[in-house]
Amino acid sequence: KQWYQRRVAITAGGEAVEVTCFEKQHKTGGLWNLTWRTGVDEHGEPVHCSQYRDLFANAPKEQLELPDYTFNDHYGKPIPSYPPREVIEDYIRGYWKFHGVRDEDVSTGHCVRSVRYEGGIFTVTVVQLKTGQTFEQEFDRLIVATGHFSVPNVPTFPGVETFNGRVLHSHDFRNAREFSGQRILCVGGGYSAEDIALQCVKFGAAHATISYRSHAIGFKWPEQINEVPLMLKVEDKTCYFSDGTSAEYDAIIFCTGYLLHYPFMPSELTLKARNCFYPPNLYRGLQWFGTTEGTKDAGGQLFYMGMQNQLYTFPMFMIQGLWVAHVIKGLHTPPDREECALDMEKASEPGLNMDDIIASQTGYLKQLGADIGYTGDLDQTEAMEGWHQSRQEDFLTYRNQSFVSKYTKEKSPVHSLPWVECFDDSLKGYLGSYLA
């Protein structure tokens, strides 16, 4: 999706703005819109969805709970800590409704083709996908909020073209049942690799191997999952690894992350980065200042939202949205360009230690809040530390744990079925007994 803002008036509470939102998909929801499609959609556009059936939260819902609209507010009572996709999607739709955002406020089925920036004005070229009609619209401010988990990063390995089995990226993974009885190789060492390997085993895969590039994940795995270092080459169904071992597989799933990809933006205003916590050229991780070679400024009128690596998700997006809105409405004035550039230079990646990562992103949220006078408490350090420890202790059972909501002070109930035995990912099936 793409968000664009246009100034229309001045009021005592700051600038009043008219908000125009273009969303490529047929409904709002971003990645939470599950589809059976892979490759391209019905209009020939790249499919945005990277989610799959039977996807459950891989962090407790208490970590992503929004302080002004809790899960209790939405469902009327406490629910388990690790719900499936439909339960979370329903929650965020309720949050939008709570804040008065209607479906008709978003122009769905509209894809942005290009952006020009001249004389302080963004000219956006848009196509209405159903009719094919193309039009231009001008804006004073522009926010890119397309996310960065929809364009797959697909590596290659010698001999992979000879592999006599299924080869796909996790972006196109839709149903673990497809791999029942098979030997699966997940290439990658992140969240996708660990979850897809576990999903495949849960739904009957004979075995799953995770091939990591730099370091092993190191969890306590079930006996059907193992880790090996980087794959070097493929011959027929045999994959060879850098520790000298080899094994045969029926499918290779590249869980190798995503590209930051904004083909509609002019190159000098395009965010170019890997998945990191502090993307370049973004003051406070949000406001564009072209400080690297080949980039230009946009007068502080361009923003990229949600482009960081993420531990915090919904709360981070919320405080980012408030920060950007405060800047656009004139309620918060960032420092001058030179000071912003110096601040960006000081930002440093937190490394691989989870405690450092938690502290870094918690500090980032607090910094945004301090800038705009936000007084809510978004610090989820305690929940994150408990989540990290439970995953280390037993990766197969961590989703059976329950957590306390920071905002309601209530502890979530434990679901009647352990995650490994829960095969109904629908909202009604998962929460039926809790909402009766």
Side-chain angles (χ1 to χ4, degrees):
K1 59 187 176 183
Q2 296 92 21
W3 289 80
Y4 303 95
Q5 310 256 353
R6 179 171 54 187
R7 182 180 61 200
V8 293
I10 303 294
T11 68
E15 295 182 1
V17 296
E18 176 185 339
V19 179
T20 300
C21 178
F22 296 119
E23 166 63 63
K24 184 177 76 170
Q25 298 180 93
H26 71 281
K27 66 175 183 177
T28 57
L31 285 178
W32 296 95
N33 287 330
L34 179 65
T35 176
W36 62 269
R37 294 180 183 273
T38 60
V40 296
D41 65 15
E42 63 270 35
H43 303 293
E45 297 293 325
V47 169
H48 189 77
C49 176
S50 296
Q51 297 204 8
Y52 40 88
R53 285 181 58 185
D54 304 292
L55 175 68
F56 282 65
N58 66 348
K61 73 182 196 307
E62 289 76 17
Q63 282 183 212
L64 53 83
E65 192 167 46
L66 294 155
D68 56 342
Y69 188 75
T70 66
F71 278 88
N72 278 21
D73 290 331
H74 185 70
Y75 286 108
K77 60 180 67 175
I79 64 170
S81 285
Y82 286 90
R85 183 197 60 82
E86 270 192 25
V87 174
I88 298 174
E89 179 190 1
D90 196 69
Y91 169 67
I92 59 174
R93 293 190 186 283
Y95 177 71
W96 302 334
K97 185 177 180 181
F98 172 73
H99 282 284
V101 179
R102 306 164 301 172
D103 289 343
E104 54 266 34
D105 293 330
V106 179
S107 297
T108 55
H110 286 70
C111 184
V112 172
R113 291 294 189 224
S114 65
V115 172
R116 298 195 312 274
Y117 179 70
E118 297 175 351
I121 297 294
F122 295 96
T123 302
V124 180
T125 303
V126 185
V127 61
Q128 210 281 2
L129 293 173
K130 188 173 182 179
T131 65
Q133 178 186 5
T134 298
F135 62 92
E136 290 186 346
Q137 199 164 340
E138 293 184 345
F139 299 91
D140 299 307
R141 305 288 188 274
L142 184 145
I143 303 172
V144 181
T146 54
H148 59 104
F149 295 113
S150 62
V151 179
N153 172 47
V154 185
T156 187
F157 293 87
V160 69
E161 70 279 359
T162 71
F163 183 70
N164 286 322
R166 179 89 188 275
V167 179
L168 68 156
H169 190 275
S170 58
H171 178 66
D172 296 325
F173 180 85
R174 290 290 182 269
N175 192 338
R177 294 167 179 83
E178 173 186 351
F179 302 99
S180 178
Q182 296 187 20
R183 300 158 297 179
I184 310 302
L185 175 62
C186 295
V187 179
Y191 294 127
S192 293
E194 65 188 35
D195 195 60
I196 287 176
L198 196 60
Q199 286 275 14
C200 287
V201 167
K202 176 181 177 178
F203 285 93
H207 193 86
T209 295
I210 297 173
S211 172
Y212 57 88
R213 181 178 59 181
S214 56
H215 62 278
I217 300 172
F219 289 147
K220 177 185 176 183
W221 301 106
E223 61 181 13
Q224 302 99 317
I225 298 177
N226 74 304
E227 291 187 82
V228 296
L230 185 66
M231 180 172 70
L232 297 179
K233 64 177 182 178
V234 180
E235 292 180 359
D236 194 4
K237 281 199 167 187
T238 303
C239 298
Y240 296 85
F241 306 100
S242 62
D243 62 353
T245 63
S246 63
E248 289 191 351
Y249 296 96
D250 302 297
I252 298 174
I253 304 175
F254 288 119
C255 304
T256 45
Y258 292 86
L259 302 173
L260 278 70
H261 187 63
Y262 315 103
F264 49 88
M265 292 295 293
S267 61
E268 66 273 14
L269 300 180
T270 297
L271 176 61
K272 298 172 184 177
R274 56 187 176 85
N275 186 27
C276 60
F277 288 94
Y278 295 98
N281 299 306
L282 296 181
Y283 174 67
R284 293 294 196 254
L286 293 165
Q287 189 174 25
W288 174 269
F289 291 100
T291 62
T292 59
E293 185 178 356
T295 63
K296 293 182 179 179
D297 278 2
Q301 298 166 248
L302 170 63
F303 304 85
Y304 283 85
M305 275 186 59
M307 302 308 176
Q308 295 83 356
N309 199 349
Q310 299 156 10
L311 279 182
Y312 288 85
T313 52
F314 299 160
M316 184 175 76
F317 305 149
M318 181 205 74
I319 196 67
Q320 286 185 330
L322 288 174
W323 193 93
V324 171
H326 273 67
V327 172
I328 289 175
K329 291 170 69 66
L331 300 174
H332 171 64
T333 303
D336 59 31
R337 183 193 186 281
E338 288 71 25
E339 190 172 339
C340 289
L342 287 173
D343 188 86
M344 289 187 286
E345 286 181 12
K346 295 176 184 176
S348 60
E349 291 296 305
L352 298 176
N353 180 275
M354 183 57 71
D355 289 340
D356 293 341
I357 293 172
I358 293 171
S360 176
Q361 195 147 85
T362 300
Y364 170 66
L365 268 65
K366 290 180 177 180
Q367 186 177 57
L368 294 180
D371 283 349
I372 62 174
Y374 179 79
T375 58
D377 185 2
L378 301 177
D379 189 338
Q380 292 287 357
T381 298
E382 184 176 348
M384 289 184 178
E385 288 175 346
W387 159 75
H388 180 57
Q389 181 179 346
S390 65
R391 283 159 53 88
Q392 295 264 332
E393 290 173 352
D394 193 337
F395 193 69
L396 184 63
T397 64
Y398 80 93
R399 285 187 173 102
N400 303 335
Q401 309 300 314
S402 64
F403 288 76
V404 175
S405 167
K406 185 181 187 75
Y407 307 113
T408 69
K409 310 304 181 185
E410 294 185 81
K411 189 172 185 178
S412 293
V414 176
H415 195 268
S416 57
L417 290 173
W419 172 81
V420 75
E421 297 176 16
C422 188
F423 297 104
D424 188 344
D425 68 336
S426 69
L427 187 155
K428 183 178 180 181
Y430 185 78
L431 293 182
S433 61
Y434 296 96
L435 304 181

